[in-house]
Amino acid sequence: MLIAAAVCPCPPLLVPEVAAGAAPELDGLRAACAEVVRALAAARPERLIVVGPAERAGRGPHAQGAAGSFRGFGVEVDVRLAAPAADGASGGDDAAGQGPSPSLPLSLAVAAWLLEHAGWDPAVPVEGLGVGEPLAAERCIEVGRELAGRAERMALLVMGDGTACRTLKAPGYLDERAAPFDAEVARALAAADTGALAALDEELAYELKAAGRAPLQVLAGAAEGAALKGELRYDEAPYGVGYFVATWSS
């Protein structure tokens, strides 16, 4: 049964080394993400599953300790998914000087970085699951229901951005439909409204480049009947992309 969930965006810019000189611009977002991850830990789950958007090759599932990397952005930062300290690999190389062989998609690599920097206890089992952007809403909800049944005290960390069309300089340029779409997501997260998340328009989300649509609908399926309460901690659109941070708890 799902007892707690947190929602965070997944831009690589959350990693300060990737953001470089622009890192301070997202300090508030990083702090909000750390708070909701700590709230997940405080719920004392038996298992945590991290869900985020992924291409087919990165969907997993990914076991605890799976490797991710931000070297593609020109920085020597490697991560492992909630690995014990002896196995951690953040920011360093392996014996061959190349770092671990990465398997995590970027969304889950960002999650691994958040878990490490929020002080997640590696004794709590963690698994990663990537979901494809085209995955139908009905299937997302089925996946969520399946995940909720994995343990009596299950928690989810859901990674995913809102629309990428909020301003003229946004990755998807300005689309007047983007702000209302993001506003409905924010309202649903604040109210823990599973029905509203389940009803998000797949085609519109795709047109607005809302990469978090499928993971959010996985959350909707997992939280059915859990009677969780929502709290929205962050709702902004830096760089023209909608970013939300929220926590759902009993």
Side-chain angles (χ1 to χ4, degrees):
M1 178 178 178
L2 188 72
I3 62 161
V7 174
C8 293
C10 52
L13 289 174
L14 273 176
V15 178
E17 291 88 343
V18 175
E25 298 175 9
L26 295 182
D27 280 348
L29 177 57
R30 290 186 195 93
C33 290
E35 288 175 2
V36 298
V37 171
R38 293 187 185 110
L40 282 182
R44 302 177 70 87
E46 296 174 0
R47 178 175 294 273
L48 173 69
I49 296 182
V50 184
V51 180
E55 300 296 330
R56 181 173 297 276
R59 293 179 189 173
H62 300 275
Q64 187 162 353
S69 178
F70 297 96
R71 293 179 182 239
F73 297 92
V75 297
E76 293 187 356
V77 178
D78 303 312
V79 291
R80 289 191 185 274
L81 186 61
D87 296 329
S90 181
D93 296 344
D94 65 4
Q98 299 298 320
S101 177
S103 65
L104 294 174
L106 273 175
S107 65
L108 300 190
V110 172
W113 184 89
L114 289 174
L115 289 169
E116 177 183 341
H117 288 268
W120 185 265
D121 182 357
V124 179
V126 177
E127 179 182 328
L129 179 66
V131 292
E133 185 176 13
L135 194 65
E138 293 81 1
R139 180 57 185 146
C140 291
I141 292 166
E142 290 175 3
V143 170
R145 291 170 181 159
E146 294 167 3
L147 296 181
R150 296 267 188 97
E152 290 187 9
R153 297 182 61 82
M154 174 67 69
L156 286 184
L157 174 55
V158 180
M159 308 296 294
D161 302 342
T163 67
C165 302
R166 293 280 293 272
T167 66
L168 291 173
K169 293 185 178 180
Y173 197 65
L174 176 64
D175 190 313
E176 294 181 356
R177 301 172 297 173
F181 184 96
D182 283 345
E184 174 60 7
V185 172
R187 187 205 65 78
L189 290 174
D193 187 340
T194 58
L197 292 182
L200 290 175
D201 188 309
E202 300 168 50
E203 183 175 351
L204 180 59
Y206 178 78
E207 292 174 0
L208 297 176
K209 303 184 184 301
R213 188 274 308 171
L216 288 173
Q217 291 184 319
V218 171
L219 170 61
E224 282 183 351
L228 301 180
K229 298 178 181 178
E231 182 180 355
L232 187 65
R233 304 284 186 93
Y234 186 98
D235 174 17
E236 302 289 344
Y239 317 122
V241 181
Y243 294 154
F244 314 102
V245 179
T247 182
W248 289 12
S249 59
S250 56

